[in-house]
Amino acid sequence: MHGITNYRSKMKVPGLRAFLVAAGCAQGLAAGAADIPAPENMLTNPGFEAGLTGWDGHAGAMIESSTIRHTGTNAVAVARTATHHGVRQNMLGKMVPGQPYFVSAWARTDSATNETVMLSFRSTVDATADTTAIATESVASGCWVWLSGYYTVPLDEPLNELVFFVSGPMPGVKLYVDNAYVAPATGLRKAAAHYPGLRLGSTMGPTLFPTNVKFASAHAGHFHMASTENETKFKGLQPSQNTFTYAKAESIIDFSLAHGGTSRGHCLVWHGRWVPSWVTSEVRTPAAMRDILWNHIDTVTTHFRGRLSHWDVVNEAMMADGSLRSTTNCPGESPHWYDNPGIGYATNGAMYIAEAFKHTRLSDPDAKLFYNDFDCHYTNSKSDAIYYMLSDFVAQGIPIDGFGIQTHLTDNTFKIADNYANLQRFQDLGLDLQITELDVSLPVDTNGFATADSIEKQGQIYFDTLGTALGFSNFKLCQIWGIYDGYTWIYKFSDYARGQPLLFDFNIDKKPAFWGVWNALNGQAEKAAVLDGSADNTSSLVNSPLLRAAAGRRLNAYAANDFITLQTEMPFKGEWNVKIGMLKASDAGQVQLAIAPPNSTTFTNIGLPQDTYSASQLAQEFDLGMVDFPEAGDWQFRFSAVSKHVLSAGLALTIDYIRLSPVHCSPRFTLPPADQTIPANSDLAPVLFLAEDDTASGSLVVTATSSNTALVPDAHLVISGASPYFTIAATPLPNKAGQTTITLLANDGTLTATQTVSLVVLDRRR
Ligand code: XIL
């Protein structure tokens, strides 16, 4: 129901009905009884709404339920006499060794001074305890701060203790904690663990999407943050004067929180059509306009303080030629923030922007404040002007934290060097860099479809865009402007000439664009573990703007057959296209790639030897063709020097990346459910497991059958969720005890995978 309604509101194209059916949307997104949000949070009582259930004081601290809370009605308050005093939950037996988890929590203190708050895990293997700090933040008095990061459970045995805890402030300072989260990191979230300071976001418009299980799972399986598309714009929050409406925005912020994330506020000052007519229809004095704007900023930033961790204070104030955007050009419609009459700084250039930042900092000292604009990802007159403006702001101490680069792309090729140079100068100002609105729109036919060829090229654009930004330490967020092609602003905006701009298709299945993002995050050679190397090879990390993520792994070979072996995870078995990125340089020679399965010593060459010589340094991608990977797991990729020119002392091979594109792969139970024992008189409460596939997200179907239907009939097994997060629940028949083997079947439409789980039912049930 809701998928279609929203889709229609976005996409009034001719032949819509045929289009919907062809795209599978009618079936794919229909709401139903099983439409429940992804159940991935593994913590008990994560929002402290059930009092202290599941939680204890860490290191002997006293905890109590608190009405000072981040959301809902309660949080926890920790009375503390030591820095490590905190609040904890025992995770022993719940989390799987070797598996990365994305974890987060919100923390606050009422200390008069800034305090340090930390999210940590403590593990004890045998008798050796280890504490791992996942996230550390400084928090000002009375404000909630988001702590987030990754944790991988140790593989060593015996694991005797595993505890999630939040602690940190000075002894005596009361600590409040709310909205904690632990979920297996999968898909893009897992790939992004290579960049601990980077978060991935997506925006969503309609408030009802969060209840669509496929949509919710696609978000939670891959992104850390969800933000509003329109609901925190001026009209979204103050549709008529002094009437503030927060419900729609809050449903999206709450959705993000429920999946472990935070949200960006977008945007306070903007000329666009999301300025309500009550502002634009009346001609007022500058003082009156200023009152309206300051009142809006004060009210909404105060309302959301601690929940919107970033604000776009000013959006799109610059024209393509680098002049400030005038608001006189649409009489009767303009918001008049700048000129005619503006808020009082009409003849003072960017002063109205600076004043807006100053005002916002005063009303919300904790949000990071951004200037946000489009068509400024390359060096051009517009980004030049923004650069000069932000340089002035930094020099003058105007409170600005970052530059939001919208990055709505229509490119056929991405200009990497130009984008790199542009990002570099903004990073040099000390600003955070965020890609805030990434999408790559494609020309579409009258039914709204792009060609297979352009969908393929789109994967390259995503790979290049993210791959370039990853080279910057200040790059903190890559936010996509939407999740799937069935819900995007692009169709309407382009008068239905362009579309399909996102990572997931109309069925919420993964596109080459998804794999472009995944490869940028997952495939960088400098991040891959080095498993092995020949005796006289000296491998090292190299940095160069010519390389993706600005870094690579160099193999210094001195003789033929010198090699280095890197490890890369193949998430699915099946056929993949393998490409490698290398830096060609003046050492003449050839390199050969060979692969071996996990723990094997048998390597197989893939592709032919590739020439490494170039008169000047040149980043080049080599397509090694289609390769069958008969199993999933950590594969070995061995790069060998085949030869070197007699006149070269050595052969310096710089490996930039390994890029893997699935052609056709089997589904996989990436985190199967553990065997279960059901206590007497009980049912099996939902147990989380992960099943994924190379293309299917929305359309991966998991079913279950029981080997002992006299104990647990098939109809008493309930699978909920959508890829990647599913749960299985079971209700044994009354007065039965025994064992049954559950067979789970994952079907992506063509290929299947199976997984068995043992269920032991103890004693008789009433
Ligand atoms: C767009 C939304 O996606 C549309 O739904 C809405 O009708 C208009 O605004 N730059 C921005 C965003 O800063 O706020 C715009 O969002 C897209 C371009």
Side-chain angles (χ1 to χ4, degrees):
M1 172 272 292
H2 38 67
I4 299 303
T5 312
N6 291 312
Y7 186 78
R8 215 169 246 156
S9 68
K10 287 274 169 178
M11 287 229 16
K12 296 196 175 74
V13 288
L16 175 67
R17 202 183 163 77
F19 177 53
L20 282 173
V21 172
C25 291
Q27 306 91 320
L29 290 183
D35 239 2
I36 52 168
E40 79 279 3
N41 193 349
M42 300 172 67
L43 289 167
T44 302
N45 184 25
F48 300 89
E49 298 307 322
L52 301 176
T53 305
W55 297 93
D56 295 301
H58 181 64
M62 296 295 293
I63 60 171
E64 61 183 5
S65 191
S66 162
T67 52
I68 295 178
R69 77 280 185 185
H70 186 232
T71 60
T73 53
N74 287 96
V76 68
V78 190
R80 309 167 54 262
T81 54
T83 306
H84 56 283
H85 277 174
V87 58
R88 63 194 265 160
Q89 186 158 136
N90 176 16
M91 299 303 286
L92 192 63
K94 291 190 183 172
M95 295 167 74
V96 176
Q99 162 73 35
Y101 289 81
F102 179 64
V103 301
S104 65
W106 291 78
R108 159 181 170 158
T109 78
D110 289 334
S111 167
T113 53
N114 281 10
E115 291 285 341
T116 299
V117 285
M118 293 169 78
L119 167 55
S120 314
F121 267 85
R122 181 185 152 98
S123 64
T124 302
V125 175
D126 204 357
T128 309
D130 180 53
T131 297
T132 309
I134 308 300
T136 305
E137 299 284 346
S138 168
V139 62
S141 179
C143 191
W144 290 92
V145 70
W146 187 51
L147 296 159
S148 69
Y150 293 91
Y151 181 66
T152 301
V153 183
L155 287 161
D156 301 331
E157 291 184 347
L159 186 61
N160 294 325
E161 183 193 28
L162 186 64
V163 163
F164 167 104
F165 72 99
V166 182
S167 63
M170 294 299 283
V173 172
K174 205 175 234 190
L175 169 69
Y176 302 91
V177 177
D178 203 355
N179 293 321
Y181 180 86
V182 173
T186 178
L188 301 183
R189 263 189 189 181
K190 182 176 174 187
H194 289 296
Y195 300 87
L198 176 73
R199 296 290 168 262
L200 304 175
S202 61
T203 52
M204 49 194 65
T207 53
L208 15 108
F209 268 2
T211 61
N212 181 296
V213 66
K214 289 178 185 168
F215 184 85
S217 297
H219 168 79
H222 303 289
F223 300 96
H224 307 98
M225 291 171 51
S227 298
T228 52
E229 185 176 347
N230 292 310
E231 289 67 18
T232 50
K233 290 173 179 170
F234 203 121
K235 189 161 80 179
L237 294 174
Q238 197 185 169
S240 58
Q241 192 158 15
N242 279 321
T243 302
F244 290 87
T245 50
Y246 300 118
K248 286 185 180 171
E250 270 166 350
S251 73
I252 292 163
I253 295 166
D254 287 349
F255 171 81
S256 191
L257 278 171
H259 298 288
T262 180
S263 294
R264 296 181 95 253
H266 169 83
C267 44
L268 297 169
V269 182
W270 189 30
H271 69 281
R273 81 185 87 131
W274 279 78
V275 180
S277 57
W278 69 263
V279 175
T280 57
S281 56
E282 207 179 298
V283 178
R284 298 181 176 86
T285 64
M289 289 301 293
R290 194 163 55 235
D291 283 351
I292 287 173
L293 186 57
W294 286 178
N295 178 50
H296 181 80
I297 291 176
D298 290 346
T299 310
V300 307
T301 62
T302 303
H303 179 83
F304 288 115
R305 190 169 163 193
R307 286 188 291 162
L308 291 174
S309 49
H310 307 75
W311 269 107
D312 288 330
V313 177
V314 178
N315 191 36
E316 302 183 348
M318 209 63 85
M319 300 289 284
D321 66 1
S323 60
L324 278 173
R325 189 182 294 280
S326 167
T327 50
T328 59
N329 55 348
C330 354
E333 284 185 356
S334 302
H336 302 232
W337 305 134
Y338 174 38
D339 52 357
N340 192 32
I343 59 171
Y345 306 98
T347 54
N348 291 298
M351 192 181 277
Y352 86 103
I353 300 175
E355 289 300 316
F357 275 89
K358 288 200 261 183
H359 196 88
T360 309
R361 178 69 98 221
L362 287 177
S363 70
D364 184 353
D366 305 299
K368 291 217 170 195
L369 306 185
F370 277 71
Y371 176 78
N372 194 56
D373 215 325
F374 65 100
D375 282 351
C376 53
H377 44 282
Y378 295 139
T379 55
N380 53 33
S381 302
K382 182 170 181 172
S383 62
D384 287 351
I386 296 170
Y387 173 71
Y388 296 131
M389 177 175 78
L390 299 193
S391 306
D392 284 349
F393 285 2
V394 169
Q396 292 162 17
I398 306 297
I400 178 167
D401 300 296
F403 177 32
I405 307 149
Q406 291 187 11
T407 325
H408 293 289
L409 299 177
T410 53
D411 312 32
N412 289 322
T413 54
F414 189 72
K415 293 187 276 177
I416 292 173
D418 190 14
N419 176 243
Y420 190 94
N422 192 44
L423 298 182
Q424 182 69 62
R425 58 180 175 165
F426 285 98
Q427 165 150 304
D428 290 345
L429 290 179
L431 296 172
D432 276 2
L433 306 177
Q434 294 189 339
I435 292 178
T436 50
E437 304 184 15
L438 181 58
D439 56 16
V440 182
S441 71
L442 304 174
V444 289
D445 62 22
T446 51
N447 283 325
F449 289 110
T451 62
D453 183 49
S454 59
I455 285 189
E456 204 55 51
K457 288 196 177 115
Q458 184 183 45
Q460 179 78 42
I461 304 284
Y462 272 102
F463 179 74
D464 290 344
T465 306
L466 183 55
T468 309
L470 286 174
F472 294 90
S473 55
N474 286 9
F475 176 56
K476 303 281 175 63
L477 173 71
C478 180
Q479 177 165 275
I480 316 285
W481 203 243
I483 295 241
Y484 79 112
D485 289 340
Y487 192 89
T488 162
W489 72 302
I490 289 294
Y491 285 95
K492 201 168 167 214
F493 178 72
S494 70
D495 207 13
Y496 304 100
R498 305 185 72 87
Q500 293 218 257
L502 297 169
L503 305 188
F504 296 88
D505 68 10
F506 296 102
N507 282 326
I508 317 193
D509 284 342
K510 296 164 191 161
K511 292 163 64 186
F514 172 94
W515 290 103
V517 170
W518 182 82
N519 273 302
L521 295 165
N522 196 64
Q524 304 297 335
E526 67 277 13
K527 299 284 184 183
V530 179
L531 291 184
D532 196 7
S534 51
D536 64 350
N537 120 55
T538 52
S539 89
S540 54
L541 294 179
V542 282
N543 291 100
S544 161
L546 296 174
L547 297 164
R548 302 304 159 80
R553 159 96 34 204
R554 178 146 57 213
L555 159 64
N556 295 307
Y558 297 100
N561 298 326
D562 277 359
F563 70 94
I564 186 172
T565 306
L566 305 182
Q567 177 179 293
T568 281
E569 193 203 358
M570 302 301 303
F572 307 107
K573 70 174 182 183
E575 191 183 14
W576 293 77
N577 171 244
V578 179
K579 296 189 176 99
I580 52 173
M582 303 272 299
L583 193 62
K584 284 189 160 184
S586 55
D587 293 329
Q590 287 191 318
V591 63
Q592 173 72 54
L593 179 62
I595 56 168
N599 307 315
S600 163
T601 49
T602 310
F603 280 84
T604 310
N605 285 349
I606 58 174
L608 297 170
Q610 306 291 335
D611 288 331
T612 60
Y613 173 78
S614 166
S616 55
Q617 285 205 324
L618 176 72
Q620 189 173 324
E621 186 171 270
F622 301 92
D623 188 340
L624 302 180
M626 303 302 171
V627 181
D628 187 45
F629 291 84
E631 61 182 287
D634 289 333
W635 278 68
Q636 306 171 69
F637 286 70
R638 189 176 71 191
F639 295 80
S640 305
V642 175
S643 59
K644 69 175 181 66
H645 193 275
V646 282
L647 296 179
S648 299
L651 175 60
L653 300 171
T654 303
I655 308 157
D656 188 0
Y657 58 81
I658 301 168
R659 186 171 168 192
L660 305 163
S661 304
V663 180
H664 198 191
C665 301
S666 298
R668 181 177 168 206
F669 288 88
T670 42
L671 198 64
D675 291 342
Q676 301 289 326
T677 299
I678 308 181
N681 298 322
S682 300
D683 298 328
L684 180 68
V687 173
L688 180 69
F689 67 93
L690 266 60
E692 300 171 75
D693 185 55
D694 61 334
T695 53
S697 278
S699 55
L700 188 69
V701 174
V702 179
T703 51
T705 49
S706 168
S707 67
N708 181 354
T709 51
L711 179 70
V712 183
D714 292 351
H716 288 211
L717 296 168
V718 178
I719 307 281
S720 301
S723 179
Y725 296 114
F726 293 90
T727 56
I728 177 167
T731 313
L733 288 172
N735 297 321
K736 303 271 185 204
Q739 190 272 345
T740 181
T741 300
I742 310 296
T743 301
L744 298 170
L745 181 78
N747 186 343
D748 71 0
T750 40
L751 296 176
T752 58
T754 58
Q755 174 73 42
T756 56
V757 191
S758 165
L759 261 189
V760 173
V761 181
L762 291 182
D763 216 338
R764 292 158 59 102
R765 283 172 34 84
R766 270 170 295 168

